[in-house]
Amino acid sequence: MAMAGMSAAEKSFQLQLQMKRNTEEMSSFLKEMSDWTRDVSQKDEQLKASNKPSSALPPVRAQPKPRKKKKKKKQVTIQESEKIEGGEKKTETEADKKSGKIKGYDYRAWDKFDVDAAIKEIDGDASKMTLEEEAREDEEEGSTDDEEMMRLEEEKRQQLAVYHKEKGNEFFKQGKWEEAVECYTKGLQQDALNAVLFANRAMALLKLQKYAAAIADCDCSIELDDTYTKAYLRRATAHLKLEHKTEALADFNKVLEFEPENKLAMSTVKKLEVELTPVEEYTPRKPGDITNMKRTLPPSDKPMVRIQIIDISPEDFDTKPKGKKGIEEISSKVEIEAVKTKKEVSSAPKQKKEASVVEFETLPTRVPMNYLQFQTDTRKLKSHPEKLFEYIKQIDPDIYPKLFQDSLEADNLFMILETLNKFYIPNRLPVYSELYYLTKVRRFDMAIMFKTEHQQLIIGQLVQYAAETADDKLGIIGLIKAYNILDLSKYKLNNLQEEVEI
């Protein structure tokens, strides 16, 4: 744009100036390039010179010097050369005949050579080779495809088995035992070597009171995995329901081998050992036999009577024997005194007797710090329901998980629930926190399994009362699922039916 308003002379001058500048720039660039090339070549030569080994270094010790082999020229006569050439020709022709090759100097053989036939033969061999290679490749691909298909099918079956197991667990949590059994059965059809599926189906069968079938499933689970503790526990539970105490004891002992700290197994083993201990029958003692008297005498059901001992002075006796009459008088006196003392004891008021018992027995009122203290205190308070109620009332429900840890037994759980039902509901005390934090104890799911119909009724009444007094709807739904309450209409919980099923 600047050159548009210039004259021709000015334009030519500007072009010459621009060309001069371009020439100078190009020359300076080429000079710099040549300088750089020269520097690089000098550095390269220096590096090469530094890498050359010095000639002053001594030779390697015991290094042999290379020896040049001298070729010996053998003088051969004309006749020997002809013989050698004839032999070579003979051997070459025999080798050529065997191999079918034609030497380059054998022109007669080349004249007789059929090129088209050789080409066809080569093509045929090549086609055979390609067909064989293709067949071999197809076989290899087929074998790899079959293995891949089998592996994919196995993975698919295992995935389906896991899916049915998870679905069965959901039905089990909802209390739908039959649907859970169907899902576990479908899972076993996909993976028949899954010990967990057998054990889970056994648990659902226990809920349906099909104890023999549960034992069979536990047997299969143990055969597949003989270290699976839950299978032993569930089989022991089924044996207990069928009154097979010996088999149940063996299974609980097996559980203790794998889990020595299992509280449920420990307590049940103690009970079963006591029940299975043979009781010695009472054998009447022969007259005059005083051996083992304390062990053979049966315990008496009669109350103990205090007998007063009377001192008799010599004046009460006559020196003359009175025969049977005197003896009868003395014995009658003793009997009369015994009767009097017995009447005095029996006439004492019962209130004083009970008061004396309370005086000697101190009832615990402390807040338990661990499960051992709780168990010791509740044993003393078991015969005093009101004191037991006061004792449980002072325990904060949120410390239940820390207090019981892994030691919650079914007896203690139902003792707490019965106390809540007997005293909390009539006194209109809230029970939601107690019911909720009991479900957070680790062994709660195992302990709640052993509930009876009467205990199920108590649990239903407690949850119904909690639903009436608490505003936490989701919390009540959680209690219904945790305590496995099935008949919601029986406890006026119909409005929660849909939420529970979801």
Side-chain angles (χ1 to χ4, degrees):
M1 295 293 293
M3 294 179 69
M6 295 182 182
S7 60
E10 291 176 351
K11 285 181 182 180
S12 63
F13 176 75
Q14 289 292 337
L15 286 172
Q16 290 176 2
L17 183 63
Q18 187 66 33
M19 290 174 65
K20 185 178 179 181
R21 289 176 181 174
N22 292 342
T23 305
E24 291 176 354
E25 289 177 358
M26 180 61 70
S27 62
S28 64
F29 174 75
L30 292 174
K31 185 179 179 183
E32 290 176 357
M33 180 64 73
S34 62
D35 294 340
W36 178 80
T37 306
R38 186 176 63 256
D39 294 339
V40 169
S41 61
Q42 288 178 357
K43 289 181 180 179
D44 192 14
E45 289 176 357
Q46 291 175 0
L47 289 172
K48 287 180 180 180
S50 62
N51 289 333
K52 284 183 179 180
S54 60
S55 58
L57 292 174
V60 179
R61 185 169 54 187
Q63 183 178 5
K65 295 181 179 180
R67 296 180 180 178
K68 295 181 180 181
K69 293 183 180 180
K70 295 180 179 180
K71 294 182 181 180
K72 295 181 179 180
K73 294 182 180 180
K74 188 177 180 181
Q75 295 179 358
V76 183
T77 58
I78 297 171
Q79 294 177 354
E80 289 177 354
S81 64
E82 288 178 356
K83 289 180 181 179
I84 291 167
E85 288 176 0
E88 286 179 357
K89 287 181 181 180
K90 187 177 181 181
T91 53
E92 286 175 0
T93 53
E94 289 176 356
D96 293 339
K97 287 179 181 179
K98 289 180 180 180
S99 61
K101 293 182 179 180
I102 302 172
K103 294 295 181 180
Y105 54 81
D106 194 355
Y107 300 108
R108 292 180 181 177
W110 279 114
D111 292 338
K112 298 177 181 179
F113 182 70
D114 191 354
V115 179
D116 296 331
I119 292 171
K120 288 181 180 180
E121 186 178 355
I122 292 168
D123 292 338
D125 293 339
S127 62
K128 286 180 182 179
M129 290 292 291
T130 53
L131 290 173
E132 290 176 358
E133 289 176 357
E134 289 177 359
R136 193 181 300 109
E137 289 176 357
D138 292 338
E139 288 178 359
E140 291 177 356
E141 290 177 358
S143 61
T144 53
D145 291 342
D146 293 339
E147 292 176 359
E148 186 70 18
M149 288 295 292
M150 290 176 66
R151 188 180 63 81
L152 292 174
E153 287 179 1
E154 186 67 23
E155 290 181 358
K156 185 178 179 181
R157 286 186 176 184
Q158 290 180 358
Q159 290 175 0
L160 285 173
V162 172
Y163 167 75
H164 289 303
K165 185 189 77 172
E166 297 296 333
K167 196 173 180 182
N169 292 343
E170 292 178 2
F171 281 126
F172 186 87
K173 291 177 182 178
Q174 297 172 7
K176 299 178 181 179
W177 321 123
E178 294 180 355
E179 289 83 349
V181 170
E182 290 180 2
C183 288
Y184 294 140
T185 305
K186 290 179 181 178
L188 287 170
Q189 290 174 358
Q190 301 297 331
D191 187 4
L193 301 177
N194 195 325
V196 178
L197 284 171
F198 277 110
N200 287 4
R201 190 171 71 174
M203 189 65 197
L205 291 170
L206 280 175
K207 294 293 185 180
L208 293 172
Q209 299 181 359
K210 297 179 180 180
Y211 304 121
I215 291 172
D217 276 353
C218 290
D219 292 339
C220 295
S221 179
I222 291 168
E223 286 181 4
L224 293 170
D225 186 2
D226 57 355
T227 61
Y228 193 34
T229 311
K230 290 184 179 180
Y232 288 107
L233 277 173
R234 290 162 189 176
R235 189 170 70 176
T237 305
H239 280 308
L240 279 179
K241 295 293 184 181
L242 295 174
E243 296 296 329
H244 301 161
K245 295 182 180 180
T246 306
E247 292 82 355
L249 179 61
D251 284 337
F252 278 120
N253 283 325
K254 197 72 177 177
V255 171
L256 290 176
E257 289 182 10
F258 300 113
E259 296 181 6
E261 301 298 327
N262 193 304
K263 301 296 182 181
L264 176 64
M266 291 170 66
S267 61
T268 311
V269 164
K270 290 179 182 178
K271 293 179 182 178
L272 290 174
E273 285 178 349
V274 172
E275 292 177 4
L276 294 173
T277 303
V279 181
E280 295 182 2
E281 296 182 358
Y282 169 70
T283 55
R285 194 165 45 85
K286 294 180 180 180
D289 185 11
I290 62 173
T291 58
N292 300 327
M293 184 180 290
K294 292 182 179 179
R295 287 181 291 177
T296 56
L297 285 174
S300 177
D301 296 332
K302 297 180 181 180
M304 298 181 68
V305 178
R306 181 179 295 175
I307 299 174
Q308 186 177 359
I309 300 172
I310 301 171
D311 294 331
I312 300 174
S313 62
E315 297 175 355
D316 295 334
F317 294 94
D318 289 334
T319 55
K320 295 180 181 180
K322 296 181 180 181
K324 295 182 178 179
K325 189 175 181 181
I327 297 171
E328 288 175 358
E329 288 178 357
I330 295 169
S331 63
S332 63
K333 286 182 181 181
V334 176
E335 288 178 0
I336 290 168
E337 294 296 332
V339 170
K340 285 181 181 179
T341 54
K342 186 175 181 180
K343 287 182 180 179
E344 290 174 0
V345 173
S346 62
S347 62
K350 294 182 179 179
Q351 294 178 355
K352 292 182 179 179
K353 191 183 245 185
E354 292 176 359
S356 63
V357 172
V358 175
E359 286 175 2
F360 290 102
E361 186 180 359
T362 57
L363 298 177
T365 57
R366 61 184 175 180
V367 177
M369 300 301 294
N370 51 44
Y371 176 72
L372 182 61
Q373 289 183 2
F374 178 84
Q375 193 173 20
T376 305
D377 295 343
T378 51
R379 283 177 183 172
K380 295 179 181 179
L381 296 169
K382 200 171 184 180
S383 57
H384 304 280
E386 293 181 355
K387 295 290 183 182
L388 180 62
F389 159 62
E390 295 293 337
Y391 180 80
I392 293 175
K393 183 181 175 182
Q394 67 180 347
I395 302 173
D396 291 331
D398 56 354
I399 70 168
Y400 282 162
K402 185 179 178 181
L403 176 65
F404 294 109
Q405 295 185 359
D406 292 333
S407 306
L408 182 63
E409 297 180 3
D411 296 340
N412 291 327
L413 173 63
F414 296 123
M415 178 191 66
I416 295 171
L417 294 175
E418 288 173 1
T419 304
L420 295 177
N421 185 60
K422 188 174 181 180
F423 292 98
Y424 276 58
I425 294 177
N427 295 320
R428 305 302 294 175
L429 297 173
V431 296
Y432 173 77
S433 297
E434 283 76 2
L435 295 176
Y436 172 75
Y437 284 107
L438 280 173
T439 61
K440 299 301 177 183
V441 180
R442 295 177 190 172
R443 304 294 296 179
F444 172 79
D445 293 335
M446 185 63 68
I448 202 69
M449 270 175 30
F450 298 96
K451 63 178 179 293
T452 61
E453 293 182 1
H454 175 67
Q455 291 164 348
Q456 178 67 52
L457 179 63
I458 290 173
I459 293 170
Q461 293 173 356
L462 285 170
V463 175
Q464 179 185 353
Y465 174 69
E468 294 173 358
T469 55
D471 297 330
D472 191 356
K473 187 176 180 181
L474 293 175
I476 299 300
I477 294 170
L479 291 180
I480 293 170
K481 292 180 179 180
Y483 287 92
N484 292 330
I485 299 175
L486 305 179
D487 190 1
L488 299 182
S489 60
K490 186 177 181 180
Y491 306 106
K492 299 179 182 179
L493 299 171
N494 298 341
N495 57 335
L496 302 175
Q497 184 72 40
E498 295 180 359
E499 288 83 349
V500 171
E501 290 179 355
I502 292 171

